[in-house]
Amino acid sequence: MGVLDREWSRKDDVPPLSGGMRPSSSVPPLSGGMRQSSSGRVPQWALEEALNEQLRAYAAENGGRRVRGERRRRRRERSSVRKLRVRTGVLIAFVIALYLTPTVFERDIFPDVLPHLPWSNVPPRGVEAAAAPLGTPPPSTGSAQYKLFEYPGLRQEFVAYDPCRPVHYVIRPNFAPAGTEGIVQEAVAEVAAATGLTFVFDGPTTEAPSPESRDSYQPELYGKRWAPVLITWTSPEEVPDLAGPTAGLGGSEVAQRPDKPMVLVAGQVMLDAPAMTEILGYPGGRDHVRAIVIHELAHVLGLDHVDDPNQLMYEETRELTTLADGDLAGLAKLGAGPCVPEL
């Protein structure tokens, strides 16, 4: 068998380029310009050569697309790396700044963050804080027969309740002696008039007295604000410091934000119910019980004992049952404390 003429041979399985058939979409169509015989046939080698050229062109084009896609992907990766480096650098700079300036963090940042932490022991800042004092203390009597509580290292003249907020109070009624109904409210009204502070009664409570130290923030009992003044009728069995001649105890916790004035919060009054029952049996006993409650409330607001027996803040029980001139001067001063909305 002779060798087929390669130039003019034609395979039957190669479709013609003209007509209704279209090349596969995965391979680009062959271009024109191929040599043909006089019969119109295209040599096999020309077909193969044109097909190879088209395949090379298709590969070059799509290879270029892949290269361009790879370049874009690499640019995106480089951009992401740069952004990550910038963020990391900012974070490191922030940590270094906090380390180098701890007072800024402690003074301006941490106090605002702390109330929102699960274990926080302080309420959100500024709860119920008004722009100005809620009341005005009466004019001073001019007496110097009073003494304010002293605090080590205090950089302000005195410590008092914030006059721009109401002073809330609650009463644990357990063990209250018969005949003492309304005594606490009467005593509160007297110290409120002497200070100009606004007192708000929040009703009864189940909270027990805390002779050592009371939690200033108890959101589960009182909501997200400073705990109210707690007034309890108790006994020496529950509060050993009431043993002996002591008929009552009173005081407050302190709170302070860095670089801001210290204020009083979460006070409490502990009244010896058995001793009060005995006093109620004396002539004028109810007035004396009310005077003891006023005395302890004055401790809550910041008054200390004095050496003058003519003042209600004298340590021992006397015949006096109302606030004297020195007591009134001291309470008026305590009613003009600083407003601290930052707490």
Side-chain angles (χ1 to χ4, degrees):
M1 178 181 294
V3 178
L4 292 176
D5 185 347
R6 182 175 183 277
E7 182 177 355
W8 302 113
S9 65
R10 176 177 180 272
K11 292 186 179 294
D12 294 334
D13 58 350
V14 178
L17 297 181
S18 60
M21 290 189 63
R22 297 181 179 179
S24 170
S25 60
S26 60
V27 179
L30 300 176
S31 60
M34 293 182 293
R35 294 176 58 187
Q36 299 178 345
S37 66
S38 59
S39 63
R41 293 181 176 180
V42 179
Q44 176 68 20
W45 67 267
L47 284 170
E48 294 176 351
E49 186 176 88
L51 180 61
N52 289 335
E53 289 179 356
Q54 293 296 323
L55 289 173
R56 283 193 295 271
Y58 176 78
E61 180 180 355
N62 285 273
R65 290 176 183 172
R66 286 194 296 272
V67 170
R68 289 192 295 273
E70 181 69 17
R71 288 175 179 172
R72 286 194 294 269
R73 185 181 66 81
R74 289 180 179 176
R75 283 197 296 269
R76 286 196 297 269
E77 290 178 352
R78 287 195 295 268
S79 177
S80 299
V81 170
R82 283 196 296 270
K83 291 179 180 177
L84 179 60
R85 288 175 178 172
V86 170
R87 292 171 183 169
T88 303
V90 170
L91 178 60
I92 292 174
F94 178 69
V95 173
I96 293 175
L98 292 181
Y99 177 78
L100 295 178
T101 57
T103 55
V104 174
F105 178 74
E106 294 173 359
R107 184 185 66 243
D108 300 325
I109 300 176
F110 185 68
D112 289 333
V113 174
L114 179 60
H116 304 286
L117 300 178
W119 58 87
S120 175
N121 61 349
V122 296
R125 61 183 295 184
V127 175
E128 295 188 305
L134 303 180
T136 303
S140 175
T141 62
S143 172
Q145 297 302 311
Y146 66 87
K147 184 178 180 181
L148 308 181
F149 280 122
E150 298 178 356
Y151 298 87
L154 186 65
R155 297 182 180 179
Q156 60 196 73
E157 186 181 359
F158 59 92
V159 181
Y161 275 81
D162 185 340
C164 289
R165 309 182 203 220
V167 180
H168 292 265
Y169 72 99
V170 293
I171 301 174
R172 190 186 72 166
N174 308 50
F175 317 117
T180 58
E181 296 82 3
I183 280 183
V184 171
Q185 285 80 1
E186 293 172 16
V188 168
E190 190 160 344
V191 297
T195 58
L197 296 173
T198 299
F199 285 79
V200 176
F201 180 42
D202 291 341
T205 183
T206 59
E207 184 186 359
S210 303
E212 298 300 326
S213 179
R214 182 181 178 221
D215 290 337
S216 302
Y217 181 48
Q218 302 180 49
E220 67 285 352
L221 273 181
Y222 306 114
K224 293 187 175 182
R225 56 177 171 84
W226 295 109
V229 174
L230 171 65
I231 302 174
T232 57
W233 298 95
T234 181
S235 67
E237 287 72 30
E238 188 176 29
V239 181
D241 288 342
L242 288 174
T246 303
L249 296 169
S252 291
E253 304 295 327
V254 295
Q256 184 178 25
R257 179 174 173 140
D259 292 343
K260 299 298 179 182
M262 183 184 295
V263 298
L264 299 177
V265 296
Q268 63 175 325
V269 171
M270 293 164 277
L271 302 169
D272 187 342
M276 299 298 181
T277 301
E278 183 178 352
I279 294 172
L280 286 170
Y282 301 151
R286 193 178 189 281
D287 291 339
H288 284 285
V289 170
R290 186 182 67 242
I292 292 172
V293 178
I294 294 172
H295 178 103
E296 302 307 330
L297 284 172
H299 281 323
V300 168
L301 297 178
L303 277 188
D304 201 352
H305 288 138
V306 294
D307 298 328
D308 183 358
N310 297 314
Q311 305 299 322
L312 189 62
M313 294 311 295
Y314 186 66
E315 187 171 9
E316 297 179 7
T317 303
R318 312 291 290 183
E319 295 300 320
L320 191 64
T321 58
T322 59
L323 294 167
D325 57 348
D327 307 315
L328 292 170
L331 289 173
K333 188 177 186 70
L334 289 169
C339 294
V340 189
E342 293 83 3
L343 280 174

